[in-house]
Amino acid sequence: MTRGQPTMTFLAAAAVAVVAAPVTTLLVSTRWTRVAMVAILVVAASGWALRQLRVRPGWVLIAQLVALVAGYLGAVLPSTLWYGLPTLTTARRTFDIVLGAATHLGGYSAPVPPSRELDIVLATLVGLIAVAVDAVAVSLRRPAAAGLLLLTAYLGSSSNTPTGNSAIWLVAPAGLWLLMLAHQGISAVHSWGPAFHTVRGRRREPGDSLAGLGRRLGVLAIGAAIVLGTIAPLLPTRFLAGGLGTGADESGGTPRGVSMASSADVSRDLITGSDRVAFRYRTPAGAAPVFAVHVLNRYEGGVWTNDRSRGAAEPATALEPPPLDSVITTKSTDIEVFDNDVAPPQVALPPLTVGNPFPGASWTVDDFGTVRLSGTVREYTASSLNLTIPEDFLANLSASNVRPSTAAAVFIEDTPSGADPDQPNDTLGRVLESIIDGEETPVEAARKIQAYLRSPEFSYSLTLTDEGIGGDPLLSFLRTKRGYCVQFAGAMVALADRAGMPARLVVGFLGGTREGDDYVVRGRDAHAWPEIYFDGIGWLRFEPTPGGRGGIPPAYSLTQPRTNPSTGPSASSSPRPSVSALPRGERPDADLVRPTGIAGGILPTWLTQNWPYAVGLLSLALLLCAVPLAARAVRRRRRRRAESQAARTEAEWAELISRLGDLGVHPPEGASPRQTGRFIATTGRLPQEAISHVGSAVALLERARYARPEQAEAKAGMTGAIEEHADAILSAVAARVPRSVRWRAALWPRDGLFWRRQSSGEENSQSR
Amino acid sequence: MASLRSLWSALTTRGSAFVASGVCLLLAGFLLGQRDLARIGLLLLLLTAGALWFGRTRGLALDVSRTAAPPTAQIGEPVVITVRVTNPAGSSSPVLLAEEQLSYLLGDRPRFVLPALDPGGRCEVQYVVRSPIRGAHQLGPLGTRVRDLFGLSLKLADVGEGTELLVVPTPVPLHASPPGSTGLGEETGSAATLALHGDNEQGIREYRQGDDLRRIHWPASARTGDLMVRQEDRPIRRQALVLLDTRESAHTGMGVSSSIEWAVVMAASVSAHLQARGYSVQALTPAGGGEVTVSEDLPGTLVALAKARPTPPESLEELLHAARGLSRRGGLVIFIGGALREGSARSVAGLRQPGSAGLAFLAAAPGSANGNGGLEVLRVSGVRARTYDRTLPHADAWATVLDATVGASS
């Protein structure tokens, strides 16, 4: 029974399962978990059975991989197989699936709506992790090393949630991993020898007392790690930031509470966000996508500002819904906001708020729809409308002929270029031409712009590259394709404006983080997004910021899928992460949805974006080469310095001895050449042929060392050099040492390390 | 600083890897604001720290004693060793992975797991050893390692003192009778007179021509009127002196296959054989360090032989010096040893008192004339000597040496 190691196999499989569990918080559907569980079970069962049959670890690993691939092919791509064998089509379809999953991830922030491709990829990934953990922990009996694999898998989900996984998710993987270590520890005790019992005193099984101690230690360590790790003060999470939330109050006074800057500088890096709570809210329908605070409608000189002259505020008692077509169905959701710390007059409201959210307070609303409070309101309830817009209605929407007064005015200093009259001579125009062909309906055009900005070509970064300095920041952004929400939103407004669609920039907050039943919105959740105006519906929100730092793109803003012919391009089948569909309050993530090298990843892009790593890797490689190269140089110099034939022979001999030392054969110091030769022959366990080479080398050295100079010169020239024998000797010795020693000899020769000492010693010997 | 280093050295590779990765993860978690990294880093660090804390041994004061049954063993005889481990300390001892450190000749080192012992608790471990060769074999000390369940810390310590297990050589039955003593000045080989009153009893007889004048017993002469002389009897006591020469340089072979082993078995066999025939046997064995053990009973002889080890060349002189005092009273002298040079051979031959027999077994030194030279000298001096090699059966050697000729070869 123990041969198959059932306990360890079970523990490894369970560990993989619990380590994959937190991923469920990032996805809407848990459909993939069933398949993943099956994969884990198949891996564990096959591993156990094969080990039971005394199959060697390498073959167990191969068999498990084959089983996994067979399961994948049989379940996913049976039609592409040729007599059960994968074909080129299989590979192409697999690539499509991976690409589809990556694109899907890139299109959403967590929780990610279901996708078949994503399910397949996740389940396969979990299966692969299970194979790796099984191989390392069970077959190779290295449960500690398997911890590294589990850690990687765990961080995969943890790093994709802004506040990390809930501490509770760590308990099970850590506990199972420690159980694996403990199981190995107990086996080590059992295999040490028979256990004896106490003759006098309490009878205790040695394994039990060890296990008892281990249990206490494990529980204490996990508990303390979680408590300390939770209360320990850490620096703010690096990829979260909210420069927008830390701006000064409009009145110029000291900001009370969290307030939004009235302008946004596109060229500035986002600085560390504030952890200060802006407000909390409670809603029966899950996290709200965004909360708007105010609108910026003028871009000039790299800065977004609000054109105040057009926004005359009127005292108001109720917010009216926009005039909507009858085909649009609306659903009202009440969002109770409390602990509101947004400094008045600013206030955060969900999109399409209707009615009177502040019955007991005086407030105004301006042309932009921006609500201003005259005093602090700690709690309010906003009724927000969710729109469900039929696809055919969207398709028939036309961009507004009448430009709304609140639409943004974009002034970009661009140097006209290009002599071709058929080509637009401004940067925006050229970019736009690459995105749309002019035949689209306005909604399609807007969708394409959003899709362009969300494509893997663009990456989210809090810091801007230096390339942006100089020209207009928005144009720089379109060139470097690196930025944060202000750049993405601003670029979309500018592009839409260039395409003739009225657009504007809205500043507010993302939906925040779930804490218990409530959601908390902090300063770092500050966000910016574009709105585009359409006749018949009004301002529609878009979400060009990719990944975790963007909100969830509204369903209407996504390009309808055409790649999947089984589902038609109907609105109902489109991925719809409507607000009510969000099951958990875990917040958007960064890396999971940020397009990475998986989808559009090209090495050059990676290199340009991560050149410090590339430089680091390169220097590491150079460092590794340095020692062998130095050794070569030292040897060459040693030979070049030799003036006479005898000295040359000595140098060659010294090199031979040094290289033998690298291989672990250290002749005694001060031995005569013959003694050294005998030592090499016996210690290196050399074959007869190599021994004769040693003999020749020793003879040459003796002649050089002891013969009269003129004789030596004459004879050494005739009989050749030690060098000719060195290779045969060294290769014979190398053939008998472990591979690790050979590698160390090649990569870490002593000649390359102690060249200074050696060269000085050599001079001493020559001067003697 | 030193304690920090000792703490670090108590960690296994896994333990130090945990500490290193724990520190890295904690730092990364702190700098990147990733709580999960910090938690996992803390887990690794706390786990290792806890393992060190629980694994601290405080000197590991355990009493270890061993008994062997039988206390002195024959070659190949199974011996049951009982190890008693008692915890005299005021706190419980940890679970110990113990390995009894045995002389490699006794076979695999037994490994066992000792339970955690409460204060005053005791544990008994038994194992069986069997030695293929004679000797005083080392038992213990008990090598122990204390490890934690997760394999993060490991402490090695030797507990208690070691003892010795004596494995005595097995005497081989010899058949031929030992040679009788030859009377002084007579050729018959039968005993002339027997002293009935003890070693120093003196008889008085009439003066005969040629008697030493100094031996005249004047009171008796006065009483009887005739010259009477003291007659010092050389009592024909059945007495034998067995000398074992263990000079490493004079023997051939190494270790178990050394001719010393043959000599030891021969010495044991001869001692047993002679004692069975009523001889009082004194066995002389070099004990190393210039000492020579003289043992008079068989068990003592066997113990001395069990402890015999190869000795430096000077040991022969020491052996002969010790033997000279004992041989003065005559009796059979049996020399068992390595090859002899002429000079040494003469000294050996000198041990044989007139009228008593001398036997010698010399290791054959292949390629060296020294052994033969000594052999010749011994023969000429009236010692029945022969050479041997390891393969010669002891009984044959005994039988043939009794038939050996003495005197100068023609």
Side-chain angles (χ1 to χ4, degrees):
Chain A
M1 265 314 267
T2 50
R3 210 162 48 218
Q5 305 187 59
T7 317
M8 199 59 131
T9 311
F10 169 76
L11 288 174
V16 174
V18 296
V19 107
V23 178
T24 51
T25 61
L26 302 175
L27 304 176
V28 170
S29 153
T30 54
R31 207 170 48 187
W32 64 278
T33 52
R34 282 191 296 264
V35 191
M37 285 300 142
V38 171
I40 292 176
L41 278 181
V42 165
V43 167
S46 57
W48 171 77
L50 290 171
R51 278 189 289 271
Q52 195 72 10
L53 297 171
R54 291 173 189 259
V55 177
R56 289 173 58 188
W59 290 109
V60 173
L61 177 70
I62 290 170
Q64 284 172 326
L65 285 175
V66 167
L68 201 65
V69 170
Y72 158 75
L73 293 178
V76 180
L77 302 168
S79 57
T80 66
L81 298 182
W82 180 74
Y83 292 109
L85 290 175
T87 56
L88 207 60
T89 327
T90 320
R92 214 176 292 135
R93 291 282 296 281
T94 304
F95 184 72
D96 286 347
I97 287 174
V98 174
L99 203 66
T103 322
H104 184 76
L105 278 180
Y108 292 94
S109 56
V112 177
S115 136
R116 183 163 177 269
E117 283 97 347
L118 191 59
D119 288 353
I120 293 168
V121 167
L122 274 178
T124 315
L125 215 57
V126 170
L128 284 176
I129 293 171
V131 170
V133 170
D134 189 80
V136 175
V138 193
S139 292
L140 298 179
R141 295 164 200 263
R142 302 268 191 284
L148 214 59
L149 295 166
L150 295 173
L151 175 73
T152 314
Y154 182 75
L155 293 181
S157 61
S158 143
S159 61
N160 285 317
T161 43
T163 52
N165 285 338
S166 164
I168 211 77
W169 288 113
L170 184 60
V171 175
L176 280 166
W177 180 56
L178 290 189
L179 275 179
M180 282 158 76
L181 292 187
H183 181 69
Q184 194 196 29
I186 294 280
S187 320
V189 169
H190 284 312
S191 64
W192 177 264
F196 283 83
H197 298 294
T198 357
V199 178
R200 203 170 62 205
R202 208 146 40 103
R203 268 180 80 103
R204 278 188 292 185
E205 198 70 42
D208 287 351
S209 40
L210 206 60
L213 213 61
R215 230 180 342 254
R216 254 182 292 165
L217 173 57
V219 169
L220 275 179
I222 294 181
I226 283 180
V227 170
L228 288 178
T230 309
I231 60 171
L234 305 183
L235 292 183
T237 308
R238 272 285 280 132
F239 57 74
L240 287 179
L244 294 173
T246 55
D249 188 52
E250 288 171 49
S251 56
T254 319
R256 292 170 294 117
V258 179
S259 69
M260 283 287 168
S262 57
S263 63
D265 188 344
V266 182
S267 63
R268 255 186 30 212
D269 286 353
L270 264 188
I271 50 164
T272 319
S274 120
D275 265 347
R276 188 161 176 179
V277 173
F279 57 90
R280 296 170 196 272
Y281 67 95
R282 193 178 296 144
T283 159
V290 286
F291 290 85
V293 173
H294 63 87
V295 175
L296 302 177
N297 70 338
R298 184 183 180 82
Y299 176 77
E300 193 170 12
V303 180
W304 285 94
T305 50
N306 184 282
D307 188 352
R308 300 220 119 228
S309 60
R310 297 186 195 177
E314 302 277 334
T317 51
L319 290 167
E320 294 300 323
L324 293 171
D325 196 282
S326 57
V327 296
I328 300 171
T329 51
T330 59
K331 190 176 159 231
S332 167
T333 311
D334 281 353
I335 297 177
E336 291 173 49
V337 177
F338 53 100
D339 288 354
N340 178 26
D341 200 21
V342 177
Q346 293 183 348
V347 65
L349 286 173
L352 289 171
T353 303
V354 292
N356 184 357
F358 318 103
S362 71
W363 50 283
T364 62
V365 61
D366 62 12
D367 294 353
F368 297 95
T370 305
V371 172
R372 287 169 193 283
L373 284 172
S374 56
T376 310
V377 176
R378 295 291 289 173
E379 291 179 12
Y380 55 90
T381 303
S383 290
S384 160
L385 291 183
N386 288 337
L387 304 186
T388 309
I389 312 167
E391 177 61 26
D392 44 357
F393 176 80
L394 279 175
N396 293 326
L397 276 182
S398 58
S400 178
N401 293 328
V402 186
R403 191 179 169 83
S405 60
T406 54
V410 178
F411 302 100
I412 289 181
E413 283 176 31
D414 194 9
T415 41
S417 59
D420 189 349
D422 294 339
Q423 299 285 323
N425 64 354
D426 62 327
T427 314
L428 279 181
R430 281 195 300 277
V431 171
L432 201 59
E433 198 175 45
S434 69
I435 306 169
I436 57 175
D437 48 26
E439 313 266 308
E440 297 91 347
T441 63
V443 169
E444 273 176 16
R447 281 174 180 167
K448 282 190 173 174
I449 295 172
Q450 174 178 295
Y452 170 71
L453 292 170
R454 290 182 77 92
S455 70
E457 288 178 52
F458 285 84
S459 61
Y460 185 87
S461 166
L462 296 179
T463 50
L464 304 172
T465 54
D466 293 343
E467 296 170 51
I469 296 171
D472 185 274
L474 265 186
L475 298 184
S476 309
F477 166 71
L478 286 172
R479 196 168 56 245
T480 62
K481 300 182 176 173
R482 249 164 96 92
Y484 51 95
C485 58
V486 174
Q487 277 83 14
F488 280 97
M492 180 145 182
V493 171
L495 286 169
D497 182 69
R498 177 68 177 76
M501 292 183 278
R504 64 184 188 178
L505 189 77
V506 184
V507 179
F509 294 98
L510 284 168
T513 333
R514 184 175 188 144
E515 280 186 13
D517 289 339
D518 307 329
Y519 292 87
V520 182
V521 177
R522 293 187 164 82
R524 63 176 185 221
D525 288 316
H527 188 48
W529 62 92
E531 285 185 345
I532 299 177
Y533 191 83
F534 297 96
D535 269 344
I537 196 155
W539 291 103
L540 280 186
R541 179 172 72 91
F542 282 79
E543 190 50 86
T545 309
R549 294 304 302 141
I552 300 158
Y556 55 76
S557 73
L558 293 172
T559 310
Q560 300 310 305
R562 298 224 169 80
T563 49
N564 198 342
S566 62
T567 58
S570 68
S572 59
S573 67
S574 65
R576 179 163 307 174
S578 70
V579 172
S580 58
L582 302 177
R584 288 186 183 81
E586 293 297 338
R587 277 280 308 115
D589 59 292
D591 298 308
L592 178 69
V593 283
R594 187 187 305 163
T596 57
I598 309 168
I602 313 150
L603 192 63
T605 327
W606 184 87
L607 280 179
T608 50
Q609 289 177 359
N610 300 288
W611 61 269
Y613 298 106
V615 169
L617 278 176
L618 200 68
S619 7
L620 196 70
L622 282 179
L623 210 66
L624 270 180
C625 295
V627 178
L629 287 177
R632 277 183 74 129
V634 165
R635 288 167 190 160
R636 199 175 311 146
R637 191 180 56 177
R638 211 183 302 174
R639 272 188 238 165
R640 222 182 21 237
R641 277 195 184 178
E643 282 156 8
S644 61
Q645 183 64 38
R648 194 181 157 79
T649 310
E650 286 283 357
E652 284 172 4
W653 176 256
E655 178 186 331
L656 175 64
I657 296 297
S658 157
R659 291 178 69 181
L660 281 170
D662 289 337
L663 289 169
V665 177
H666 301 278
E669 300 250 338
S672 71
R674 281 185 196 201
Q675 281 171 336
T676 309
R678 268 199 299 279
F679 180 88
I680 295 169
T682 51
T683 314
R685 288 171 295 148
L686 296 187
Q688 202 53 49
E689 194 196 335
I691 291 179
S692 68
H693 280 291
V694 175
S696 312
V698 167
L700 281 169
L701 177 71
E702 282 183 332
R703 203 162 295 149
R705 211 177 261 184
Y706 304 127
R708 274 182 293 175
E710 63 276 16
Q711 228 175 351
E713 292 287 341
K715 289 210 174 151
M718 274 159 57
T719 49
I722 289 181
E723 207 179 3
E724 293 165 15
H725 306 285
D727 282 341
I729 299 170
L730 286 168
S731 60
V733 172
R736 301 196 175 222
V737 298
R739 197 177 299 146
S740 55
V741 176
R742 280 207 294 276
W743 276 102
R744 200 178 54 208
L747 291 174
W748 209 245
R750 286 188 305 171
D751 276 348
L753 287 177
F754 306 116
W755 53 275
R756 191 174 285 279
R757 204 169 66 197
Q758 282 192 353
S759 54
S760 63
E762 194 181 302
E763 276 155 20
N764 289 345
S765 69
Q766 282 185 358
S767 63
R768 274 202 305 272
Chain B
M1 199 58 202
S3 66
L4 202 66
R5 198 172 302 141
S6 75
L7 269 184
W8 184 256
S9 67
L11 289 178
T12 57
T13 313
R14 180 187 282 182
S16 25
F18 273 29
V19 169
S21 35
V23 168
C24 288
L25 284 172
L26 190 61
L27 271 181
F30 176 73
L31 293 176
L32 299 178
Q34 290 279 2
R35 273 200 193 281
D36 279 306
L37 286 183
R39 283 185 195 127
I40 294 166
L42 275 171
L43 172 65
L44 293 178
L45 288 177
L46 290 170
L47 202 64
T48 319
L52 283 178
W53 174 256
F54 281 122
R56 73 200 190 287
T57 46
R58 295 202 211 93
L60 207 64
L62 291 178
D63 285 345
V64 181
S65 64
R66 289 178 190 76
T67 48
T72 307
Q74 301 272 325
I75 290 174
E77 185 187 12
V79 185
V80 180
I81 311 285
T82 309
V83 184
R84 274 190 198 80
V85 183
T86 325
N87 180 14
S91 57
S92 289
S93 68
V95 173
L96 294 177
L97 305 185
E99 183 180 64
E100 181 81 314
Q101 303 192 357
L102 295 182
S103 158
Y104 69 95
L105 292 167
L106 295 179
D108 286 345
R109 298 178 159 190
R111 289 177 157 196
F112 36 86
V113 181
L114 291 178
L117 292 175
D118 290 329
R122 199 180 76 198
C123 172
E124 281 190 2
V125 176
Q126 289 194 327
Y127 61 91
V128 176
V129 290
R130 195 187 289 264
S131 169
I133 64 165
R134 56 99 207 167
H137 298 302
Q138 190 216 346
L139 295 177
L142 198 60
T144 62
R145 43 180 70 198
V146 184
R147 55 164 285 168
D148 65 298
L149 188 64
F150 304 112
L152 301 174
S153 66
L154 182 68
K155 282 196 172 175
L156 304 173
D158 282 352
V159 177
E161 301 282 313
T163 46
E164 281 189 341
L165 172 68
L166 275 179
V167 176
V168 297
T170 316
V172 175
L174 306 176
H175 300 295
S177 296
S181 218
T182 327
L184 267 179
E186 299 198 18
E187 306 221 335
T188 54
S190 63
T193 51
L194 275 175
L196 302 173
H197 318 294
D199 279 3
N200 297 318
E201 282 304 316
Q202 299 174 346
I204 297 171
R205 61 168 169 80
E206 283 179 20
Y207 176 81
R208 286 187 211 148
Q209 187 95 29
D211 278 340
D212 191 341
L213 290 178
R214 285 174 297 184
R215 296 173 89 179
I216 294 173
H217 193 267
W218 293 112
S221 302
R223 205 163 49 238
T224 58
D226 289 322
L227 275 178
M228 304 295 278
V229 290
R230 276 195 310 269
Q231 177 179 332
E232 287 177 0
D233 266 334
R234 197 175 296 273
I236 303 303
R237 304 197 59 230
R238 287 171 165 276
Q239 178 171 290
L241 206 59
V242 178
L243 290 93
L244 178 69
D245 158 38
T246 53
R247 287 170 301 141
E248 194 170 16
S249 54
H251 282 275
T252 54
M254 301 262 286
V256 188
S257 60
S258 163
S259 58
I260 292 181
E261 294 305 314
W262 190 95
V264 166
V265 173
M266 194 69 207
S269 310
V270 168
S271 301
H273 183 67
L274 293 179
Q275 265 181 2
R277 266 149 226 275
Y279 278 73
S280 119
V281 179
Q282 287 177 312
L284 278 72
T285 328
E291 299 291 314
V292 175
T293 315
V294 182
S295 29
E296 308 205 337
D297 57 342
L298 186 61
T301 308
L302 290 180
V303 167
L305 288 175
K307 291 180 177 174
R309 301 182 59 77
T311 47
E314 313 84 80
S315 66
L316 179 63
E317 197 41 58
E318 292 150 7
L319 183 75
L320 294 176
H321 179 75
R324 257 174 229 127
L326 298 168
S327 68
R328 222 168 278 149
R329 289 175 302 176
L332 190 56
V333 174
I334 302 168
F335 178 86
I336 306 167
L340 287 177
R341 292 170 191 280
E342 276 100 345
S344 311
R346 245 171 243 122
S347 305
V348 170
L351 294 175
R352 185 185 71 91
Q353 294 298 316
S356 47
L359 304 178
F361 300 88
L362 304 186
S368 152
N370 292 345
N372 283 335
L375 191 71
E376 223 29 62
V377 170
L378 287 174
R379 280 185 182 156
V380 167
S381 317
V383 176
R384 300 179 200 181
R386 64 154 299 156
T387 57
Y388 64 90
D389 63 24
R390 296 191 294 115
T391 55
L392 181 70
H394 294 88
D396 291 0
W398 180 249
T400 49
V401 80
L402 293 177
D403 296 338
T405 52
V406 292
S409 54
S410 53

